[in-house]
Amino acid sequence: MDRLRMAVIGVGHLGKEHARILAGLPDVKLVGVTDVNVEQAQLVADRCGTTAFAEITQLFDQVDAVTVVVPTVHHHLVASEFLKRGIPVLVEKPIATTVAQADDLVRLATENKVPLQVGHIERFNPAFEELIRRPIRPKFIESERHGPFTGRSTDIGVVLDLMIHDIDLLLSLTRSTVKHVEALGLAVFGGHEDIVNARLIFENGCVAHVTASRVSQTPKRRLRVWAPEGYAGLDFVTKTLRIVQPSAELREKGLRVADMDLARKAALKDEIFGKHLQTLDLNCQRGDQLTSELRHFIQCVRTAQLPRVTGEDGRDALALAERILESVRTHNWNGEGDLSAIGMHGMPSPLGTLFDEV
């Protein structure tokens, strides 16, 4: 089989990892990398044994596919140049900065009959892969994605930077549209929003609470799902999954605690987990998900199969993110009738400092 000729457009913090992995795949020829930072492009090219190109135009006739890992504001401009020439693209999340731009990328991929994959990498987290293999119909979901301030992705806020991961996961789990959005957030550093909480109500009755922060001291990436089938708790950092389901006896007969004597109630405490609520803990350590994502994209290019995360998926996640951001911008911190504290920059003035003694 001929090696697939690929290039990485943008080799900063994440793009350099794309280049490293692709350079090590036996069925791929990394023909080049490019970046607005010429020195960075040359450094990565030297490290990966490839060529640093000054312009993407130099790559049009040399590649079979590309990954686009430039800042979000440039996703549409760069990805569209390759798609319109019939070159498959894996573009990092979010797919673009506006739904109109996302729709245009989807259109170009469709018209030119080439794969467009969006880099929602958590779909390739082995713990999430293990979860979606199971027959679960979420009715309440709680997600938390917290991380420290890194100084990267300052062209966008925490919704498009971090929460977009969980938005995509929620849509893939529920397979339903969102009918109602309530959200609030803060711009801690005065620019884009840095902390956001959203409550989403889906057409199928599922409710989700989603929180994202990029000013947390301790990283946290968790998803918890309650469903008629049971409960699932997923940790994206440790790649672990806990599943809890009611026993057949509990499902069929239930527990009439009110009818139990004191001795039976006392014994029940030790029987809840194991006998009545069965638990399964899975440690899903099987490779890194960026490699899995890139291998999947390569397979899609070779076979013309539909990517796991399509352009339409990326567009839908972005559309919901825009609704959340609009709710953040219009949130009234003091309630109806008082317009003095509105949106991510409008938190009311503090009464004092929390370190003050009262």
Side-chain angles (χ1 to χ4, degrees):
M1 181 182 294
D2 292 338
R3 296 167 71 191
L4 195 71
R5 301 174 303 161
M6 294 189 67
V8 180
I9 315 302
V11 285
H13 174 72
L14 181 57
K16 72 179 188 299
E17 302 304 323
H18 279 236
R20 173 185 60 80
I21 293 169
L22 292 173
L25 296 179
D27 57 341
V28 170
K29 179 181 180 181
L30 182 63
V31 299
V33 300
T34 183
D35 197 281
V36 292
N37 184 333
V38 178
E39 292 181 358
Q40 173 70 3
Q42 190 62 59
L43 178 66
V44 173
D46 292 344
R47 189 180 299 157
C48 296
T50 189
T51 303
F53 288 86
E55 301 290 340
I56 64 171
T57 54
Q58 298 173 278
L59 290 164
F60 291 156
D61 61 353
Q62 297 197 45
V63 295
D64 302 309
V66 297
T67 68
V68 174
V69 205
V70 297
T72 301
V73 293
H74 303 304
H75 281 187
H76 175 262
L77 175 65
V78 175
S80 63
E81 288 298 324
F82 288 96
L83 289 173
K84 69 176 59 171
R85 290 171 173 83
I87 299 171
V89 170
L90 189 163
V91 59
E92 267 302 332
K93 60 78 193 169
I95 183 173
T97 55
T98 68
V99 173
Q101 289 179 347
D103 281 332
D104 189 52
L105 294 182
V106 170
R107 177 188 61 80
L108 287 171
T110 301
E111 289 179 355
N112 290 284
K113 298 181 174 60
V114 293
L116 169 61
Q117 182 173 324
V118 185
H120 286 285
I121 195 170
E122 294 290 30
R123 293 267 207 112
F124 294 85
N125 189 298
F128 185 76
E129 290 177 323
E130 191 66 49
L131 172 63
I132 60 174
R133 289 192 184 100
R134 298 164 191 274
I136 190 166
R137 294 168 297 162
K139 291 304 173 186
F140 178 68
I141 304 175
E142 185 175 64
S143 72
E144 298 173 291
R145 189 167 296 266
H146 301 172
F149 181 73
T150 64
R152 298 188 300 271
S153 299
T154 54
D155 60 320
I156 55 177
V158 74
V159 171
L160 295 183
D161 184 17
L162 298 182
M163 187 180 281
I164 194 79
H165 283 296
D166 298 301
I167 292 172
D168 173 67
L169 296 177
L170 293 175
L171 293 174
S172 69
L173 278 171
T174 61
R175 298 298 177 186
S176 180
T177 57
V178 174
K179 68 177 183 179
H180 184 68
V181 175
E182 291 181 2
L184 54 87
L186 289 174
V188 177
F189 300 114
H192 294 287
E193 79 288 349
D194 299 298
I195 303 173
V196 169
N197 176 266
R199 184 174 186 266
L200 312 175
I201 300 178
F202 291 80
E203 293 285 353
N204 68 359
C206 181
V207 176
H209 288 175
V210 192
T211 303
S213 169
R214 56 182 183 184
V215 290
S216 299
Q217 288 182 301
T218 306
K220 182 190 299 183
R221 304 204 306 270
R222 300 190 304 190
L223 183 75
R224 297 192 289 176
V225 179
W226 286 263
E229 299 78 19
Y231 162 84
L234 192 157
D235 190 314
F236 291 99
V237 176
T238 61
K239 299 178 182 178
T240 55
L241 176 66
R242 162 162 280 206
I243 298 173
V244 181
Q245 70 176 14
S247 65
E249 181 182 5
L250 184 59
R251 289 195 300 270
E252 294 170 7
K253 301 178 181 179
L255 282 175
R256 297 183 62 83
V257 179
D259 296 337
M260 295 179 182
D261 58 28
L262 291 179
R264 185 70 187 91
K265 288 180 180 179
L268 183 60
K269 292 190 299 183
D270 299 324
E271 296 176 348
I272 287 291
F273 288 97
K275 180 178 180 180
H276 301 292
L277 294 176
Q278 302 165 336
T279 62
L280 177 64
D281 290 303
L282 299 172
N283 191 334
C284 308
Q285 303 291 333
R286 51 172 184 264
D288 80 278
Q289 56 215 59
L290 181 55
T291 298
S292 296
E293 181 183 56
L294 290 169
R295 285 187 180 277
H296 175 74
F297 175 60
I298 292 165
Q299 181 183 10
C300 291
V301 173
R302 289 193 180 279
T303 65
Q305 75 181 68
L306 202 64
R308 183 179 301 181
V309 188
T310 64
E312 290 86 349
D313 291 334
R315 185 265 321 280
D316 291 346
L318 179 60
L320 181 50
E322 286 191 352
R323 291 175 63 185
I324 291 171
L325 284 169
E326 178 60 24
S327 184
V328 168
R329 285 190 285 266
T330 58
H331 176 72
N332 190 327
W333 293 96
N334 288 333
E336 293 184 16
D338 185 340
L339 301 180
S340 63
I342 304 292
M344 69 188 75
H345 300 285
M347 175 68 81
S349 299
L351 298 175
T353 69
L354 295 178
F355 291 172
D356 287 344
E357 293 185 8
V358 293

